[in-house]
Amino acid sequence: MTSIAIIGAGPQLGLAIARTFGSQGLDVALISRNREKLDGLIGTLTAEGITAAAFPADVLDRDALSQALKDAATQFGGIDVLEYSPLAGLTTTLATPVEAEPAHVQHEIEFQLYGAMAATKAVLPAMREAGAGTLLYTTGAGSIDPVPQVGNVNAAAAALRNWAINLHKELDGTGIQAAHVGIDVSIGTPAVPGFPTAQPEEISPVYWDLHTTKRDQAELVFSL
């Protein structure tokens, strides 16, 4: 298997991860909701000599997500690396712990944790058969040190982080690496005045390190 599937692929971190792995010879499967945006990313990667293809799917539609990964595996002969980092965007209602209703957290759980679980179940059997593979799950650092203003998002991100680290423990000794990546910076442009900001190209090598030289680690946090 010589490909990476990036779920939630976008023009910043997703594209940077695609470039990092694609430049090392891996084929790239990009998965997100918007076909038009995916086609733009494919054009960029193709122009850079990277083999890439788009597989549109919404992570909230778990059957469609599983099918997209199945199609990607068929086209590229398997999936060696899964990276999960979708953004809910306008579908998210932010709520503090006091304000949050169960529905506010449930939506984020569906998006972050349940989507990651569905994606993992779609690729893990082939990885087990091969005795090799990498599963990487991205959240903001609020999964580790939560912020009240985004309490519902942080709660779901913490659930994904917990699950990913536990998956790392379960897969120990199988040849399959599972790890959580916590991003403790704004990506590209400052989200909050004074908050540290990094370019996606500064962050993406963390994923390659986990795939290659840091396979014993269950978590890496990127910060400045």
Side-chain angles (χ1 to χ4, degrees):
M1 294 186 285
T2 57
S3 72
I4 178 171
I6 300 172
I7 299 176
Q12 294 207 73
L13 184 58
L15 179 59
I17 294 171
R19 283 171 165 153
T20 295
F21 282 79
S23 67
Q24 297 293 330
L26 275 74
D27 297 331
V28 179
L30 300 182
I31 299 173
S32 73
R33 289 167 288 190
N34 190 310
R35 178 65 194 236
E36 184 178 351
K37 289 182 180 180
L38 286 178
D39 287 343
L41 298 178
I42 296 301
T44 297
L45 293 169
T46 300
E48 296 173 6
I50 295 171
T51 300
F55 302 89
D58 188 331
V59 298
L60 295 175
D61 184 342
R62 290 189 278 280
D63 289 340
L65 178 59
S66 297
Q67 186 62 50
L69 288 164
K70 180 179 178 180
D71 293 344
T74 298
Q75 179 160 333
F76 291 134
I79 294 173
D80 186 53
V81 184
L82 175 75
E83 193 279 320
Y84 188 86
S85 55
L87 289 174
L90 296 178
T91 65
T92 293
T93 299
L94 301 180
T96 70
V98 171
E99 297 167 341
E101 300 292 339
H104 294 142
V105 178
Q106 181 62 35
H107 177 271
E108 291 303 307
I109 288 286
E110 294 274 355
F111 197 86
Q112 297 196 57
L113 177 60
Y114 295 169
M117 293 171 68
T120 302
K121 288 183 180 296
V123 301
L124 187 56
M127 289 183 177
R128 282 190 177 277
E129 185 175 347
T134 303
L135 303 162
L136 303 174
Y137 308 91
T138 304
T139 74
S143 62
I144 304 166
D145 184 14
V147 179
Q149 291 88 336
V150 288
N152 58 322
V153 175
N154 288 169
L160 174 55
R161 173 181 180 256
N162 180 286
W163 181 81
I165 292 172
N166 211 15
L167 180 63
H168 175 92
K169 295 177 181 179
E170 183 178 8
L171 294 175
D172 183 40
T174 66
I176 302 168
Q177 158 73 328
H180 169 252
V181 179
I183 307 296
D184 194 19
V185 295
S186 294
I187 300 175
T189 57
V192 179
F195 192 72
T197 302
Q199 297 307 307
E201 293 77 14
E202 298 177 81
I203 304 171
S204 59
V206 165
Y207 295 82
W208 184 253
D209 289 344
L210 284 167
H211 175 56
T212 55
T213 61
K214 297 181 178 179
R215 297 185 62 81
D216 61 330
Q217 296 193 28
E219 180 174 63
L220 281 179
V221 178
F222 184 92
S223 61
L224 295 176

